[in-house]
Amino acid sequence: MSQLRQIHAQIILHRLTLQNLTLGKLIAFCAVADAGDIRYAQLVFDQVIEPNKFMYNSLIRGYSNTDTPLKSLLLYRKMISSGLSPNEFTLPFVLKVCAGTAAFRDAVVVHGQAIKFGIGCQVCVQNGLINVYISFGLIRFARHVFDEISQRTLVSWNTMIGGYSKLSFCKEAFWLFREMRESELRPDKFTLVNLLSVCSQSCDLALGRFVHLYMVITGVEIDQIVRNSLLDMYAKCGNLRSSQTVFNLMSDKNVVSWTSLVCGYAKNGHIESAKAVFDKMPVKNVVSWNAMITCYVQEGQFNEALALFNKMQSSKVVPDKATLVSILSACGQIGDLVMGEEIYKYICNSNMELGLTLLNSLVDMYAKCGALEMALHLFLKSPEKNVVSWNVIIGALALHGCGLKAIEMFEDMQSREVFPDKFTFTGLLSACCHSGLVDTGRYYFDIMNSYYGISPELEHYACMVDLLGRLGLLDEAVRLIGGMPIKPDVVIWGALLGACRIHGNLEISKLILKQLLELEPHSSGPYVLLCNIFCEAKRWEDAKKIRKLMKNGGVTKSRAISFIEINNHVFEFMAYDQRHQLSSSIYTMLDQLTDHLRSCSFFDIDEMQVLV
């Protein structure tokens, strides 16, 4: 740019500032070249008395590739108002800006102007129109423009196939690919990447293998981008052996290659394999860390997720919103309010844009950690709320037994014309259940289908069975289960069995046990619950029979994990746990407490041994 400024100085000294050809070249270099300066181009442009079409086109193109693309639209409007007609070099970049900035109305106007000025049939303009309509999800409009192209280029085919891929139209993408082959136009790497992408999204392994076979048979050039797409396709389709083979055969692996393999193992629940690949990565970016952290969260290993997050911070990798959403979820699951608040402080101090997804995660974390007031504060101060926001706060109020407040929130949600979904009613029915609002629960269960057109699913029936059962309406709960259009699952029968325990109904309990044993014969939950029912009814022989039935069937009681926070640190423990460094001291204290209990006359030791 320093040399260009010297040339510009010579232009001024020799009084060539009225030479539009010379100034046009100067503006074009500053606006388009990698070594240029768009601000300098704008300064030169502003001094031209009558800018020509070439100058406008150069500046419009330059701004379309900057972080202020809307200036391209302003220049385009200025160009039209000055009496200059756009050409095929103007509109593609204007349409690119419309697609990138969600300027739908401007895009429609530009389409009309393209037809008016007689350049709507130029293939570069038509390609831009296809792209802009795809960006708005209007695939039929894009296909209509594509069908009107008389001489389709490879860009035309790739743009349309890419649109089908982006919008998850798998069959249409491959039908178009077949037409492309019949037109004797050879696909390139962008075509293959688009096809592999649509296979990944739809998890269609058969079509993915077809693309791979086509690549092998035709000998098409395969670069690192295509190999990474192939690896990603196999991983997302669950064929980990093939994805590992593709990875092993890659001579040049980059961070995308490694991350795709980590994501593949993580998505399919192979957490040890994912960790092994992750540890071998020579370079890790934020996506790599996110993949492993998300894997731990999905597998319920929340402490491991938090530990990995700490390592991520130590490695100087800056977390993004996806990282923080996963970590907030982990904090909520184990009740680690201290870490959750640290994340909130980090967000505030880093001036990160909060955004709806992150805000919803914060509300959910605070609610699950017991800080309902803070959850409500964040929700109420949010300037924008979507259906997820309302679902989170309704679920939070339900969790804390604030049934009436949850219903109040739902009424407020309706007044703001936010349409509820199935998760909204799950939260509502849960709120009614926890607060014993049986009539209100019946009302919402009825209107979710009759008024909102949302068919009740298993979780909604489970809430209703739990609600009716808690209040002793066992016969009504049994009738509700009998009238279900879908087969009851373990959760529904378990809810009814829990109600039987509360109200001491042994007869229904025995019938439920048969249903539960058919669904999950090796699950310890139903046995334990029924055993407790017999114990509470002082039917010790029946309780012993249940324990014997468990032993003969090889059913072992699942070990539950508990959490306790001491000095701002969360500890987890379970029965007979030896992992803590002070476990010997802890068990010594427990033995002393047990001896003390045995010395008391308040307990029948023989009966205690039967209890689960």
Side-chain angles (χ1 to χ4, degrees), residues 284-404:
K284 301 180 182 75
N285 61 12
V286 66
V287 180
S288 316
W289 289 95
N290 288 351
M292 200 63 233
I293 290 171
T294 303
C295 177
Y296 279 132
V297 173
Q298 290 174 347
E299 294 298 315
Q301 298 187 23
F302 306 114
N303 284 319
E304 288 80 356
L306 295 177
L308 192 62
F309 175 67
N310 290 330
K311 286 185 180 180
M312 177 183 179
Q313 289 184 302
S314 300
S315 66
K316 307 300 181 182
V317 176
V318 180
D320 61 7
K321 290 183 181 180
T323 320
L324 301 181
V325 167
S326 294
I327 293 302
L328 287 170
S329 175
C331 293
Q333 292 297 327
I334 63 175
D336 194 340
L337 182 59
V338 174
M339 175 62 86
E341 289 186 324
E342 287 297 321
I343 297 297
Y344 187 35
K345 290 178 184 176
Y346 173 83
I347 294 170
C348 296
N349 294 334
S350 62
N351 294 320
M352 181 183 292
E353 183 183 353
L354 203 53
L356 264 178
T357 302
L358 198 52
L359 183 61
N360 292 340
S361 298
L362 277 167
V363 173
D364 185 60
M365 181 276 297
Y366 274 114
K368 287 179 178 175
C369 290
L372 181 60
E373 289 186 6
M374 186 61 183
L376 278 168
H377 170 71
L378 287 173
F379 173 80
L380 293 173
K381 83 169 190 177
S382 173
E384 182 184 0
K385 302 176 182 69
N386 59 7
V387 66
V388 177
S389 312
W390 292 98
N391 290 350
V392 168
I393 199 63
I394 290 172
L397 292 166
L399 180 67
H400 288 267
C402 305
L404 294 176

Side-chain angles (χ1 to χ4, degrees), residues 444-464:
Y444 284 124
F445 185 77
D446 290 337
I447 68 167
M448 68 177 289
N449 188 19
S450 61
Y451 184 78
Y452 291 101
I454 301 172
S455 300
E457 297 184 7
L458 285 169
E459 57 265 28
H460 303 113
Y461 281 104
C463 288
M464 283 304 298

